[in-house]
Amino acid sequence: MNKLWIVTFETFLRQVKSWSFVMLVLGPFLMFALTIGAGYVGASGADNSDSIAVISSNKQLKDSFVKANKDDVKANISDKKTAIKKMNKGNLAGYLVLKTDAKKVTAKYYGTNSLDSSLKSKINSFLLTSQQQLNFANAKLSKTQSQSLQQQPKLTEKIQKKTGTANLAKIISFWITVIMVYMILITYTSITSQEIASEKGTKIMEIIFSSTTAVKYFLGKIFGVLLVILTQILVYLVGGWGAYVFAEHSSLTKSFINDYQSLITSVLHNLLSVNLVYLLLGVVIYTILAAFCGALVAKVEDASKAAQPVIMLNLVAFFITFPFQNNVDSIFAKILSYVPFFSSYFMPLRLINNNASGLEVTISLLILLVSIVLLAMYIGKIYQGLMLQTDDSSFWKRFKRGISYSK
């Protein structure tokens, strides 16, 4: 058993130390950092050319407007001369002059272009509110009368669960899930098949098989790759949580997170569920098959070709899910959600659309687990016969020899 874990950790450490793994893990976070950084640079470097200045002799009136519209206002400009200079240089869209007397609140805008409709609406809303406050003060109403006049109408929305955000969340969850499964499968099937194929026919394999069984060595390789996969998923979960917390508090993304909170919550619920188990088990069974393909190559030079059969199977499973995105009730989709190599795509698709019961998920997972164990044990049994073949014979001849060696 010690030799099994030695092979496991040696495989794990060799993979996590490689630059390809580091870039694979850090790639999404680097893209996120570059996107956020570019957004900050763009926001700070634009010099607020779409912003306006507010000029007013009434400091309270000006401060109220700036506080309510701080994203549209350049608060550090307080005089008309500076505002005109900035506007002529193209660093300011215009300036707003606010005035008030005992009876009326007025505003006059000076700019190079007409006011944006959104900003115009905000200014009108501010003027209306300020004018009402002035009217109430002039009318000298009692507290009860003032409260009665300030009553506002109320609009509520009731969205059906099967429409709107729910449907959009399903679509986003579907694409994230299938692309994530596809990319991780492609990566690790290539890594595993090339690692196995690179050892093909080497003298070191004869020494290894004389000191430990082929089954232990093969399982050690698979467990090592499995630990690498778990490490990557754990880094993605922790890093993704950190990125989400950052986005919640960042001035650049906070408003977006708040506006789409329910959508983001629904998508995260679909992703951080039993779908992660299907992702993990799907990678495991494809990795075992990739190891088998790597052991079947004729020589070390063919290592780059070893993963092609597994990649083609993964491509078929990936593309075949598309027609069933909106047709999960199809008997074909239901059958494939139980078939190993396809269930990692189709059962998450059914779960996202609330089309699978707990019993169906349990049966599908049991079939997948049993298939993984049986496939691993069988390939481990014939692994020595496959790896020690060095002749440039056909695929079927090498396969038959491997089987006969295990008897």
Side-chain angles (χ1 to χ4, degrees), residues 5-160:
W5 295 118
I6 289 173
V7 176
T8 298
F9 288 114
E10 190 274 335
T11 303
F12 170 74
L13 291 174
R14 186 170 64 253
Q15 290 297 332
V16 297
K17 287 179 181 178
S18 66
W19 276 108
S20 58
F21 176 78
V22 173
M23 293 307 300
L24 177 67
V25 171
L26 296 182
F29 301 108
L30 290 175
M31 289 298 297
F32 177 78
L34 286 173
T35 302
I36 295 296
Y40 274 118
V41 170
S44 59
D47 201 18
N48 294 329
S49 59
D50 293 330
S51 300
I52 66 170
V54 180
I55 314 297
S56 180
S57 57
N58 188 321
K59 189 177 184 304
Q60 185 179 359
L61 186 67
K62 177 185 174 179
D63 291 345
S64 297
F65 183 86
V66 172
K67 186 177 180 181
N69 304 279
K70 56 185 177 181
D71 293 333
D72 301 301
V73 176
K74 252 191 157 181
N76 59 341
I77 299 174
S78 57
D79 62 278
K80 190 182 294 186
K81 187 177 179 180
T82 305
I84 293 173
K85 189 182 293 185
K86 288 275 188 181
M87 187 174 67
N88 290 336
K89 288 183 179 180
N91 296 327
L92 199 66
Y95 61 94
L96 184 71
V97 178
L98 293 176
K99 293 182 179 180
T100 182
D101 54 30
K103 293 184 178 180
K104 195 171 184 180
V105 179
T106 59
K108 187 174 287 188
Y109 176 73
Y110 301 86
T112 53
N113 291 300
S114 300
L115 273 170
D116 177 79
S117 57
S118 175
L119 181 56
K120 190 174 183 178
S121 176
K122 292 176 183 178
I123 293 173
N124 284 327
S125 177
F126 175 79
L127 292 174
L128 179 61
T129 303
S130 300
Q131 187 64 54
Q132 284 180 341
Q133 291 173 353
L134 185 59
N135 292 341
F136 290 154
N138 290 334
K140 298 180 180 179
L141 301 174
S142 65
K143 185 177 180 180
T144 303
Q145 290 172 323
S146 297
Q147 289 176 346
S148 297
L149 289 174
Q150 290 177 357
Q151 288 294 327
Q152 298 291 327
K154 185 179 180 182
L155 171 66
T156 58
E157 291 183 275
K158 186 176 181 181
I159 308 298
Q160 291 184 8

Side-chain angles (χ1 to χ4, degrees), residues 208-407:
I208 290 171
F209 289 145
S210 65
S211 60
T212 187
T213 63
V215 174
K216 285 184 178 179
Y217 185 76
F218 175 73
L219 291 179
K221 287 283 186 180
I222 299 301
F223 290 160
V225 175
L226 180 58
L227 282 179
V228 177
I229 298 166
L230 286 171
T231 301
Q232 183 179 356
I233 292 175
L234 181 62
V235 171
Y236 281 173
L237 289 175
V238 175
W241 175 79
Y244 180 73
V245 171
F246 173 82
E248 275 189 316
H249 296 88
S250 171
S251 59
L252 196 66
T253 54
K254 182 167 60 175
S255 59
F256 176 84
I257 296 292
N258 291 334
D259 292 342
Y260 296 97
Q261 185 66 60
S262 60
L263 175 63
I264 294 170
T265 302
S266 298
V267 172
L268 290 176
H269 174 74
N270 288 329
L271 297 178
L272 304 178
S273 61
V274 70
N275 288 340
L276 279 181
V277 178
Y278 274 100
L279 168 63
L280 179 61
L281 294 181
V283 175
V284 171
I285 195 168
Y286 272 91
T287 297
I288 294 171
L289 186 61
F292 175 66
C293 291
L296 279 175
V297 298
K299 48 187 178 295
V300 177
E301 291 77 11
D302 295 331
S304 60
K305 305 174 185 177
Q308 289 181 358
V310 188
I311 290 173
M312 291 304 297
L313 179 61
N314 187 26
L315 277 172
V316 171
F318 175 66
F319 284 111
I320 209 172
T321 56
F322 295 169
F324 300 98
Q325 181 182 352
N326 298 313
N327 189 25
V328 291
D329 290 324
S330 169
I331 186 66
F332 190 70
K334 290 182 178 179
I335 290 173
L336 287 179
S337 66
Y338 296 99
V339 178
F341 299 106
F342 292 90
S343 58
S344 294
Y345 284 98
F346 279 88
M347 188 54 83
L349 175 61
R350 292 183 61 194
L351 286 168
I352 288 170
N353 288 274
N354 301 316
N355 186 258
S357 65
L359 179 61
E360 289 175 312
V361 172
T362 303
I363 294 172
S364 175
L365 283 175
L366 285 174
I367 293 173
L368 186 54
L369 280 169
V370 171
S371 300
I372 288 171
V373 172
L374 293 177
L375 187 63
M377 295 305 297
Y378 178 71
I379 295 176
K381 188 179 179 183
I382 65 173
Y383 188 68
Q384 182 171 345
L386 295 172
M387 289 298 291
L388 294 179
Q389 294 183 60
T390 57
D391 59 314
D392 194 5
S393 57
S394 67
F395 169 86
W396 290 110
K397 283 184 179 180
R398 294 194 300 273
F399 181 63
K400 287 177 181 178
R401 285 179 187 175
I403 294 175
S404 62
Y405 186 89
S406 67
K407 290 179 182 179

